[in-house]
Amino acid sequence: MTVRVRIAPSPTGNLHIGTARTAVFNWLFARNQGGQFILRIEDTDLERSRPEYTENILDGLTWLGFNWDEGPFFQTKRFDLYRQAIQTLLDKGLAYRCYSSEVDLEEMRSAQKARKEAPRYDNRHRNLTPEQEAAFSSEGRRPVIRFKIDDDREISWNDMVRGKVTWKGSDLGGDMVIARASETEAFAQPLYNLAVVIDDIDMKITHVIRGEDHIANTAKQILLYEALGAGIPEFAHTPLILDKEGRKLSKRRGVTSIFDFKKLGYMAEALVNYMTLLGWSPPDSTKEIFSLQQAAEQFSFDRVNKAGAKFDWDKLNWLNSQYLHNMPVSQLCDLLIPYWQEAGHEFDPVNDRAWLEQITALIGPSLVRLPVSDRYLSDTEWVEQIEALKNADPTGPSAVPSPDAIVMSRYLFTSSVEFTEEGKAQLQQPAAKTVLEAILKAVDSHQPLTEAGTQEIIKQVTKEQNLKKGLVMRSLRAALTGDVHGPDLIQSWLLLHHRGLDRVRLQQAIEN
Ligand code: GLU
């Protein structure tokens, strides 16, 4: 048997972390088993589905590094198949037309509530005579199609994550609507549970891997498989992703859309690595950094947790920093160049390449995330999201990640420097100006300036002035970078020197 799995997102919103994580488990299992990974867009909800969401989902899955073997298939292109199945169910007497109006259903629910019963459809139109149907029809009522659910049935399956799961037919809410009528057609609009089963049968899906919020649907769907005389696939219900309070992750309370993670400066490889760890642990739990391919080699459902997986920003930040730190300088430089360009810095990406790579090497080891792009920060919706996130989760990512590559390297690009309070105070120290004058003079006699030359200048000035080396270094750093903390001073100096900015800065600090 060839394993065939599918990811079946509904294009009613942008690609969500929950769907992406379901894609991760499906993809890992398919690749582990040498099987196929199929992409199906479940766009039967005509009112809420939008092409831009489909585009976002496809782009997001591609960005994360997923390749699919078949698809994307669109359910809206497959309505004939669903209609045939509905006809079969009607012909077999397993489904029927129900004419209950919204008002009828509302009354039924209120009465159930008054009796303290769970809301359910009471199957009242299960056995209508042709005359009764005709009478409802002549009142202008449009029927829905309901599939009969036997209250006495017990439905169970061996879940690959949760073990044996059992549902009572009586807990499924009564006969289930599988299609709605349109103006002209009795079952124009097939609904999710039906479409999903027909597709999974037609696409020969062997394993249905999805979030545990679908467990009740699985019970209903098993009844449909049986009614249609089809074999039942294996099921794996993966744990939900929870926020740190243990609530289901919600887009109203934080970042959940995949491209928002990208906007926040997370790398696809790190995010996908993190999602793999949300609910699964590798056999060697000390090795947490791996590619999708490496995870696939070791993946099995035995190591998927039943309990919900708490989303941990610190862990994601750590993983992202590992990817950034382990990346070759030239590759990281390629990633940073667009951000520097966007920040309005002047440089020539080709001729200044060596200099840009040195800047990258200087700041790279402290990076946690790529910068948040200004382009995104100017997007109102995004700013609101970030605000909501900050209010909801003080430990979540801030709007400007720290340390941010743009902030960290700004002093290397701009002609004048911005001083921090500490930087200003350092330059007010009694000996600071004399130190800087001596350094400026020494720079002229150390041409071309090398790393050894800078060391020598610092040593020489320290000795001549009879000062502590720390004071010389701090004054130099304040003059060159505007601050008393920051990346390696000697490297910063050499990088500024490359553009003649060290003299300018020293001069400015002396004159002020
Ligand atoms: N379209 C469903 C969703 O987005 C997925 C259904 C399934 O995997 O069966 O939640």
Side-chain angles (χ1 to χ4, degrees), residues 475-507:
S475 306
L476 178 60
R477 184 187 284 282
L480 294 180
T481 73
D483 200 355
V484 291
H485 317 280
D488 185 88
L489 176 60
I490 302 298
Q491 294 309 318
S492 301
W493 185 0
L494 290 169
L495 286 165
L496 285 165
H497 184 76
H498 174 84
R499 300 200 130 191
L501 286 175
D502 57 340
R503 280 200 191 79
V504 178
R505 300 264 167 91
L506 288 165
Q507 198 67 54

PDB file of all heavy atoms in Angstrom, residues 475-507:
ATOM      1  N   SER A 475      35.826  55.844  25.356  1.00  0.00           N
ATOM      2  CA  SER A 475      35.713  57.158  24.704  1.00  0.00           C
ATOM      3  C   SER A 475      35.720  56.989  23.193  1.00  0.00           C
ATOM      4  O   SER A 475      34.952  57.633  22.475  1.00  0.00           O
ATOM      5  CB  SER A 475      36.888  58.056  25.116  1.00  0.00           C
ATOM      6  OG  SER A 475      36.950  58.117  26.516  1.00  0.00           O
ATOM      7  N   LEU A 476      36.585  56.095  22.730  1.00  0.00           N
ATOM      8  CA  LEU A 476      36.653  55.838  21.292  1.00  0.00           C
ATOM      9  C   LEU A 476      35.322  55.263  20.791  1.00  0.00           C
ATOM     10  O   LEU A 476      34.775  55.696  19.779  1.00  0.00           O
ATOM     11  CB  LEU A 476      37.801  54.852  21.014  1.00  0.00           C
ATOM     12  CG  LEU A 476      38.005  54.429  19.567  1.00  0.00           C
ATOM     13  CD1 LEU A 476      38.314  55.631  18.679  1.00  0.00           C
ATOM     14  CD2 LEU A 476      39.151  53.407  19.461  1.00  0.00           C
ATOM     15  N   ARG A 477      34.796  54.305  21.547  1.00  0.00           N
ATOM     16  CA  ARG A 477      33.522  53.694  21.145  1.00  0.00           C
ATOM     17  C   ARG A 477      32.404  54.736  21.112  1.00  0.00           C
ATOM     18  O   ARG A 477      31.596  54.774  20.173  1.00  0.00           O
ATOM     19  CB  ARG A 477      33.139  52.551  22.091  1.00  0.00           C
ATOM     20  CG  ARG A 477      31.894  51.828  21.653  1.00  0.00           C
ATOM     21  CD  ARG A 477      31.424  50.823  22.675  1.00  0.00           C
ATOM     22  NE  ARG A 477      32.212  49.603  22.706  1.00  0.00           N
ATOM     23  CZ  ARG A 477      32.095  48.625  21.812  1.00  0.00           C
ATOM     24  NH1 ARG A 477      31.247  48.730  20.811  1.00  0.00           N
ATOM     25  NH2 ARG A 477      32.832  47.538  21.925  1.00  0.00           N
ATOM     26  N   ALA A 478      32.362  55.600  22.143  1.00  0.00           N
ATOM     27  CA  ALA A 478      31.305  56.615  22.186  1.00  0.00           C
ATOM     28  C   ALA A 478      31.414  57.542  20.975  1.00  0.00           C
ATOM     29  O   ALA A 478      30.408  57.880  20.338  1.00  0.00           O
ATOM     30  CB  ALA A 478      31.391  57.403  23.482  1.00  0.00           C
ATOM     31  N   ALA A 479      32.656  57.941  20.644  1.00  0.00           N
ATOM     32  CA  ALA A 479      32.827  58.852  19.507  1.00  0.00           C
ATOM     33  C   ALA A 479      32.443  58.173  18.191  1.00  0.00           C
ATOM     34  O   ALA A 479      31.782  58.760  17.343  1.00  0.00           O
ATOM     35  CB  ALA A 479      34.283  59.323  19.435  1.00  0.00           C
ATOM     36  N   LEU A 480      32.828  56.909  18.038  1.00  0.00           N
ATOM     37  CA  LEU A 480      32.598  56.228  16.758  1.00  0.00           C
ATOM     38  C   LEU A 480      31.167  55.723  16.592  1.00  0.00           C
ATOM     39  O   LEU A 480      30.619  55.746  15.497  1.00  0.00           O
ATOM     40  CB  LEU A 480      33.561  55.044  16.604  1.00  0.00           C
ATOM     41  CG  LEU A 480      35.052  55.367  16.476  1.00  0.00           C
ATOM     42  CD1 LEU A 480      35.855  54.074  16.332  1.00  0.00           C
ATOM     43  CD2 LEU A 480      35.326  56.280  15.286  1.00  0.00           C
ATOM     44  N   THR A 481      30.587  55.231  17.688  1.00  0.00           N
ATOM     45  CA  THR A 481      29.283  54.560  17.545  1.00  0.00           C
ATOM     46  C   THR A 481      28.143  55.281  18.263  1.00  0.00           C
ATOM     47  O   THR A 481      26.986  54.946  18.069  1.00  0.00           O
ATOM     48  CB  THR A 481      29.337  53.115  18.102  1.00  0.00           C
ATOM     49  OG1 THR A 481      29.381  53.174  19.539  1.00  0.00           O
ATOM     50  CG2 THR A 481      30.545  52.349  17.593  1.00  0.00           C
ATOM     51  N   GLY A 482      28.487  56.262  19.117  1.00  0.00           N
ATOM     52  CA  GLY A 482      27.442  56.992  19.845  1.00  0.00           C
ATOM     53  C   GLY A 482      27.021  56.291  21.128  1.00  0.00           C
ATOM     54  O   GLY A 482      26.193  56.795  21.876  1.00  0.00           O
ATOM     55  N   ASP A 483      27.569  55.104  21.383  1.00  0.00           N
ATOM     56  CA  ASP A 483      27.123  54.337  22.546  1.00  0.00           C
ATOM     57  C   ASP A 483      28.344  53.755  23.271  1.00  0.00           C
ATOM     58  O   ASP A 483      29.447  53.766  22.731  1.00  0.00           O
ATOM     59  CB  ASP A 483      26.197  53.194  22.078  1.00  0.00           C
ATOM     60  CG  ASP A 483      25.309  52.656  23.198  1.00  0.00           C
ATOM     61  OD1 ASP A 483      25.468  53.105  24.357  1.00  0.00           O
ATOM     62  OD2 ASP A 483      24.465  51.792  22.910  1.00  0.00           O
ATOM     63  N   VAL A 484      28.129  53.250  24.462  1.00  0.00           N
ATOM     64  CA  VAL A 484      29.250  52.629  25.181  1.00  0.00           C
ATOM     65  C   VAL A 484      29.189  51.095  25.125  1.00  0.00           C
ATOM     66  O   VAL A 484      30.054  50.414  25.643  1.00  0.00           O
ATOM     67  CB  VAL A 484      29.341  53.106  26.656  1.00  0.00           C
ATOM     68  CG1 VAL A 484      29.748  54.566  26.719  1.00  0.00           C
ATOM     69  CG2 VAL A 484      28.025  52.860  27.377  1.00  0.00           C
ATOM     70  N   HIS A 485      28.105  50.572  24.521  1.00  0.00           N
ATOM     71  CA  HIS A 485      28.024  49.118  24.299  1.00  0.00           C
ATOM     72  C   HIS A 485      27.857  48.889  22.803  1.00  0.00           C
ATOM     73  O   HIS A 485      27.452  49.791  22.082  1.00  0.00           O
ATOM     74  CB  HIS A 485      26.782  48.507  24.962  1.00  0.00           C
ATOM     75  CG  HIS A 485      26.514  49.018  26.331  1.00  0.00           C
ATOM     76  ND1 HIS A 485      27.195  48.558  27.428  1.00  0.00           N
ATOM     77  CD2 HIS A 485      25.633  49.962  26.777  1.00  0.00           C
ATOM     78  CE1 HIS A 485      26.741  49.193  28.494  1.00  0.00           C
ATOM     79  NE2 HIS A 485      25.807  50.058  28.132  1.00  0.00           N
ATOM     80  N   GLY A 486      28.111  47.674  22.376  1.00  0.00           N
ATOM     81  CA  GLY A 486      27.868  47.357  20.970  1.00  0.00           C
ATOM     82  C   GLY A 486      28.829  46.325  20.452  1.00  0.00           C
ATOM     83  O   GLY A 486      29.587  45.732  21.216  1.00  0.00           O
ATOM     84  N   PRO A 487      28.773  46.090  19.139  1.00  0.00           N
ATOM     85  CA  PRO A 487      29.632  45.065  18.550  1.00  0.00           C
ATOM     86  C   PRO A 487      31.121  45.392  18.715  1.00  0.00           C
ATOM     87  O   PRO A 487      31.476  46.510  19.126  1.00  0.00           O
ATOM     88  CB  PRO A 487      29.250  45.080  17.068  1.00  0.00           C
ATOM     89  CG  PRO A 487      27.990  45.844  16.970  1.00  0.00           C
ATOM     90  CD  PRO A 487      27.924  46.743  18.145  1.00  0.00           C
ATOM     91  N   ASP A 488      31.953  44.458  18.365  1.00  0.00           N
ATOM     92  CA  ASP A 488      33.405  44.581  18.527  1.00  0.00           C
ATOM     93  C   ASP A 488      33.918  45.949  18.067  1.00  0.00           C
ATOM     94  O   ASP A 488      33.664  46.383  16.937  1.00  0.00           O
ATOM     95  CB  ASP A 488      34.070  43.465  17.715  1.00  0.00           C
ATOM     96  CG  ASP A 488      35.561  43.440  17.927  1.00  0.00           C
ATOM     97  OD1 ASP A 488      35.989  42.772  18.872  1.00  0.00           O
ATOM     98  OD2 ASP A 488      36.287  44.120  17.172  1.00  0.00           O
ATOM     99  N   LEU A 489      34.655  46.631  18.958  1.00  0.00           N
ATOM    100  CA  LEU A 489      35.074  48.015  18.682  1.00  0.00           C
ATOM    101  C   LEU A 489      36.082  48.092  17.534  1.00  0.00           C
ATOM    102  O   LEU A 489      35.962  48.938  16.645  1.00  0.00           O
ATOM    103  CB  LEU A 489      35.658  48.634  19.962  1.00  0.00           C
ATOM    104  CG  LEU A 489      36.220  50.045  19.798  1.00  0.00           C
ATOM    105  CD1 LEU A 489      35.154  51.019  19.314  1.00  0.00           C
ATOM    106  CD2 LEU A 489      36.829  50.527  21.110  1.00  0.00           C
ATOM    107  N   ILE A 490      37.071  47.225  17.550  1.00  0.00           N
ATOM    108  CA  ILE A 490      38.113  47.290  16.518  1.00  0.00           C
ATOM    109  C   ILE A 490      37.508  47.054  15.129  1.00  0.00           C
ATOM    110  O   ILE A 490      37.780  47.788  14.175  1.00  0.00           O
ATOM    111  CB  ILE A 490      39.238  46.250  16.811  1.00  0.00           C
ATOM    112  CG1 ILE A 490      39.860  46.491  18.193  1.00  0.00           C
ATOM    113  CG2 ILE A 490      40.279  46.239  15.708  1.00  0.00           C
ATOM    114  CD1 ILE A 490      40.546  47.838  18.359  1.00  0.00           C
ATOM    115  N   GLN A 491      36.636  46.022  15.048  1.00  0.00           N
ATOM    116  CA  GLN A 491      36.002  45.736  13.747  1.00  0.00           C
ATOM    117  C   GLN A 491      35.129  46.906  13.316  1.00  0.00           C
ATOM    118  O   GLN A 491      35.107  47.296  12.147  1.00  0.00           O
ATOM    119  CB  GLN A 491      35.152  44.453  13.820  1.00  0.00           C
ATOM    120  CG  GLN A 491      35.930  43.173  14.056  1.00  0.00           C
ATOM    121  CD  GLN A 491      37.088  43.012  13.075  1.00  0.00           C
ATOM    122  OE1 GLN A 491      36.961  43.283  11.883  1.00  0.00           O
ATOM    123  NE2 GLN A 491      38.245  42.616  13.589  1.00  0.00           N
ATOM    124  N   SER A 492      34.401  47.485  14.275  1.00  0.00           N
ATOM    125  CA  SER A 492      33.548  48.632  13.940  1.00  0.00           C
ATOM    126  C   SER A 492      34.405  49.776  13.399  1.00  0.00           C
ATOM    127  O   SER A 492      34.059  50.436  12.417  1.00  0.00           O
ATOM    128  CB  SER A 492      32.807  49.141  15.183  1.00  0.00           C
ATOM    129  OG  SER A 492      32.023  48.133  15.726  1.00  0.00           O
ATOM    130  N   TRP A 493      35.528  50.005  14.075  1.00  0.00           N
ATOM    131  CA  TRP A 493      36.421  51.100  13.678  1.00  0.00           C
ATOM    132  C   TRP A 493      36.910  50.879  12.235  1.00  0.00           C
ATOM    133  O   TRP A 493      36.847  51.769  11.392  1.00  0.00           O
ATOM    134  CB  TRP A 493      37.605  51.158  14.665  1.00  0.00           C
ATOM    135  CG  TRP A 493      38.542  52.294  14.453  1.00  0.00           C
ATOM    136  CD1 TRP A 493      38.470  53.278  13.508  1.00  0.00           C
ATOM    137  CD2 TRP A 493      39.713  52.575  15.222  1.00  0.00           C
ATOM    138  NE1 TRP A 493      39.510  54.146  13.630  1.00  0.00           N
ATOM    139  CE2 TRP A 493      40.296  53.724  14.685  1.00  0.00           C
ATOM    140  CE3 TRP A 493      40.313  51.945  16.324  1.00  0.00           C
ATOM    141  CZ2 TRP A 493      41.470  54.281  15.193  1.00  0.00           C
ATOM    142  CZ3 TRP A 493      41.474  52.498  16.826  1.00  0.00           C
ATOM    143  CH2 TRP A 493      42.051  53.664  16.270  1.00  0.00           C
ATOM    144  N   LEU A 494      37.357  49.638  11.960  1.00  0.00           N
ATOM    145  CA  LEU A 494      37.885  49.358  10.622  1.00  0.00           C
ATOM    146  C   LEU A 494      36.803  49.520   9.546  1.00  0.00           C
ATOM    147  O   LEU A 494      37.064  50.024   8.453  1.00  0.00           O
ATOM    148  CB  LEU A 494      38.471  47.939  10.573  1.00  0.00           C
ATOM    149  CG  LEU A 494      39.770  47.770  11.380  1.00  0.00           C
ATOM    150  CD1 LEU A 494      40.132  46.298  11.512  1.00  0.00           C
ATOM    151  CD2 LEU A 494      40.923  48.539  10.730  1.00  0.00           C
ATOM    152  N   LEU A 495      35.605  49.117   9.892  1.00  0.00           N
ATOM    153  CA  LEU A 495      34.505  49.242   8.927  1.00  0.00           C
ATOM    154  C   LEU A 495      34.163  50.707   8.669  1.00  0.00           C
ATOM    155  O   LEU A 495      33.857  51.106   7.541  1.00  0.00           O
ATOM    156  CB  LEU A 495      33.275  48.488   9.431  1.00  0.00           C
ATOM    157  CG  LEU A 495      33.393  46.961   9.335  1.00  0.00           C
ATOM    158  CD1 LEU A 495      32.319  46.270  10.160  1.00  0.00           C
ATOM    159  CD2 LEU A 495      33.296  46.516   7.880  1.00  0.00           C
ATOM    160  N   LEU A 496      34.233  51.519   9.717  1.00  0.00           N
ATOM    161  CA  LEU A 496      33.982  52.957   9.545  1.00  0.00           C
ATOM    162  C   LEU A 496      35.124  53.585   8.758  1.00  0.00           C
ATOM    163  O   LEU A 496      34.916  54.458   7.910  1.00  0.00           O
ATOM    164  CB  LEU A 496      33.854  53.637  10.921  1.00  0.00           C
ATOM    165  CG  LEU A 496      32.547  53.375  11.657  1.00  0.00           C
ATOM    166  CD1 LEU A 496      32.675  53.774  13.119  1.00  0.00           C
ATOM    167  CD2 LEU A 496      31.396  54.138  11.002  1.00  0.00           C
ATOM    168  N   HIS A 497      36.314  53.124   9.044  1.00  0.00           N
ATOM    169  CA  HIS A 497      37.501  53.657   8.375  1.00  0.00           C
ATOM    170  C   HIS A 497      37.410  53.439   6.869  1.00  0.00           C
ATOM    171  O   HIS A 497      37.781  54.308   6.075  1.00  0.00           O
ATOM    172  CB  HIS A 497      38.755  52.970   8.940  1.00  0.00           C
ATOM    173  CG  HIS A 497      40.017  53.528   8.375  1.00  0.00           C
ATOM    174  ND1 HIS A 497      40.532  54.747   8.771  1.00  0.00           N
ATOM    175  CD2 HIS A 497      40.852  53.046   7.414  1.00  0.00           C
ATOM    176  CE1 HIS A 497      41.640  54.980   8.076  1.00  0.00           C
ATOM    177  NE2 HIS A 497      41.847  53.970   7.244  1.00  0.00           N
ATOM    178  N   HIS A 498      36.871  52.300   6.485  1.00  0.00           N
ATOM    179  CA  HIS A 498      36.707  51.952   5.076  1.00  0.00           C
ATOM    180  C   HIS A 498      35.983  53.078   4.318  1.00  0.00           C
ATOM    181  O   HIS A 498      36.226  53.316   3.160  1.00  0.00           O
ATOM    182  CB  HIS A 498      35.911  50.643   4.988  1.00  0.00           C
ATOM    183  CG  HIS A 498      35.542  50.255   3.593  1.00  0.00           C
ATOM    184  ND1 HIS A 498      36.397  49.571   2.759  1.00  0.00           N
ATOM    185  CD2 HIS A 498      34.401  50.468   2.879  1.00  0.00           C
ATOM    186  CE1 HIS A 498      35.796  49.369   1.595  1.00  0.00           C
ATOM    187  NE2 HIS A 498      34.589  49.902   1.638  1.00  0.00           N
ATOM    188  N   ARG A 499      35.077  53.748   5.007  1.00  0.00           N
ATOM    189  CA  ARG A 499      34.321  54.819   4.358  1.00  0.00           C
ATOM    190  C   ARG A 499      34.791  56.207   4.814  1.00  0.00           C
ATOM    191  O   ARG A 499      34.077  57.192   4.591  1.00  0.00           O
ATOM    192  CB  ARG A 499      32.841  54.672   4.696  1.00  0.00           C
ATOM    193  CG  ARG A 499      32.263  53.373   4.236  1.00  0.00           C
ATOM    194  CD  ARG A 499      30.775  53.498   4.143  1.00  0.00           C
ATOM    195  NE  ARG A 499      30.319  53.015   2.857  1.00  0.00           N
ATOM    196  CZ  ARG A 499      29.089  53.174   2.386  1.00  0.00           C
ATOM    197  NH1 ARG A 499      28.205  53.825   3.107  1.00  0.00           N
ATOM    198  NH2 ARG A 499      28.740  52.710   1.219  1.00  0.00           N
ATOM    199  N   GLY A 500      35.909  56.264   5.500  1.00  0.00           N
ATOM    200  CA  GLY A 500      36.442  57.550   5.965  1.00  0.00           C
ATOM    201  C   GLY A 500      35.602  58.151   7.081  1.00  0.00           C
ATOM    202  O   GLY A 500      35.716  59.336   7.405  1.00  0.00           O
ATOM    203  N   LEU A 501      34.746  57.341   7.693  1.00  0.00           N
ATOM    204  CA  LEU A 501      33.842  57.896   8.707  1.00  0.00           C
ATOM    205  C   LEU A 501      34.488  57.997  10.085  1.00  0.00           C
ATOM    206  O   LEU A 501      34.005  58.720  10.943  1.00  0.00           O
ATOM    207  CB  LEU A 501      32.563  57.053   8.804  1.00  0.00           C
ATOM    208  CG  LEU A 501      31.567  57.214   7.650  1.00  0.00           C
ATOM    209  CD1 LEU A 501      30.410  56.232   7.809  1.00  0.00           C
ATOM    210  CD2 LEU A 501      31.016  58.645   7.618  1.00  0.00           C
ATOM    211  N   ASP A 502      35.603  57.282  10.306  1.00  0.00           N
ATOM    212  CA  ASP A 502      36.212  57.338  11.650  1.00  0.00           C
ATOM    213  C   ASP A 502      36.744  58.744  11.932  1.00  0.00           C
ATOM    214  O   ASP A 502      36.494  59.319  12.989  1.00  0.00           O
ATOM    215  CB  ASP A 502      37.287  56.261  11.833  1.00  0.00           C
ATOM    216  CG  ASP A 502      38.399  56.322  10.800  1.00  0.00           C
ATOM    217  OD1 ASP A 502      38.191  56.928   9.725  1.00  0.00           O
ATOM    218  OD2 ASP A 502      39.485  55.761  11.058  1.00  0.00           O
ATOM    219  N   ARG A 503      37.402  59.334  10.922  1.00  0.00           N
ATOM    220  CA  ARG A 503      37.945  60.686  11.128  1.00  0.00           C
ATOM    221  C   ARG A 503      36.809  61.688  11.377  1.00  0.00           C
ATOM    222  O   ARG A 503      36.874  62.508  12.268  1.00  0.00           O
ATOM    223  CB  ARG A 503      38.714  61.134   9.889  1.00  0.00           C
ATOM    224  CG  ARG A 503      40.101  60.561   9.817  1.00  0.00           C
ATOM    225  CD  ARG A 503      40.908  61.454   8.859  1.00  0.00           C
ATOM    226  NE  ARG A 503      42.163  60.812   8.544  1.00  0.00           N
ATOM    227  CZ  ARG A 503      42.295  59.827   7.657  1.00  0.00           C
ATOM    228  NH1 ARG A 503      41.247  59.382   7.001  1.00  0.00           N
ATOM    229  NH2 ARG A 503      43.472  59.291   7.428  1.00  0.00           N
ATOM    230  N   VAL A 504      35.761  61.555  10.555  1.00  0.00           N
ATOM    231  CA  VAL A 504      34.618  62.482  10.695  1.00  0.00           C
ATOM    232  C   VAL A 504      34.044  62.403  12.119  1.00  0.00           C
ATOM    233  O   VAL A 504      33.810  63.424  12.769  1.00  0.00           O
ATOM    234  CB  VAL A 504      33.518  62.123   9.667  1.00  0.00           C
ATOM    235  CG1 VAL A 504      32.304  63.023   9.798  1.00  0.00           C
ATOM    236  CG2 VAL A 504      34.077  62.154   8.252  1.00  0.00           C
ATOM    237  N   ARG A 505      33.854  61.198  12.594  1.00  0.00           N
ATOM    238  CA  ARG A 505      33.251  61.005  13.917  1.00  0.00           C
ATOM    239  C   ARG A 505      34.168  61.539  15.026  1.00  0.00           C
ATOM    240  O   ARG A 505      33.696  62.169  15.979  1.00  0.00           O
ATOM    241  CB  ARG A 505      32.984  59.514  14.186  1.00  0.00           C
ATOM    242  CG  ARG A 505      32.061  58.863  13.206  1.00  0.00           C
ATOM    243  CD  ARG A 505      30.637  58.848  13.727  1.00  0.00           C
ATOM    244  NE  ARG A 505      29.734  58.498  12.637  1.00  0.00           N
ATOM    245  CZ  ARG A 505      29.361  57.250  12.359  1.00  0.00           C
ATOM    246  NH1 ARG A 505      29.762  56.260  13.098  1.00  0.00           N
ATOM    247  NH2 ARG A 505      28.557  57.020  11.338  1.00  0.00           N
ATOM    248  N   LEU A 506      35.455  61.240  14.896  1.00  0.00           N
ATOM    249  CA  LEU A 506      36.400  61.700  15.932  1.00  0.00           C
ATOM    250  C   LEU A 506      36.396  63.226  15.963  1.00  0.00           C
ATOM    251  O   LEU A 506      36.318  63.855  17.023  1.00  0.00           O
ATOM    252  CB  LEU A 506      37.805  61.164  15.646  1.00  0.00           C
ATOM    253  CG  LEU A 506      37.990  59.655  15.888  1.00  0.00           C
ATOM    254  CD1 LEU A 506      39.268  59.139  15.244  1.00  0.00           C
ATOM    255  CD2 LEU A 506      38.001  59.353  17.389  1.00  0.00           C
ATOM    256  N   GLN A 507      36.444  63.825  14.780  1.00  0.00           N
ATOM    257  CA  GLN A 507      36.429  65.283  14.653  1.00  0.00           C
ATOM    258  C   GLN A 507      35.179  65.878  15.308  1.00  0.00           C
ATOM    259  O   GLN A 507      35.244  66.807  16.104  1.00  0.00           O
ATOM    260  CB  GLN A 507      36.471  65.632  13.161  1.00  0.00           C
ATOM    261  CG  GLN A 507      36.888  67.064  12.859  1.00  0.00           C
ATOM    262  CD  GLN A 507      38.358  67.308  13.243  1.00  0.00           C
ATOM    263  OE1 GLN A 507      39.228  66.569  12.794  1.00  0.00           O
ATOM    264  NE2 GLN A 507      38.607  68.296  14.082  1.00  0.00           N
TER     265      GLN A 507
END
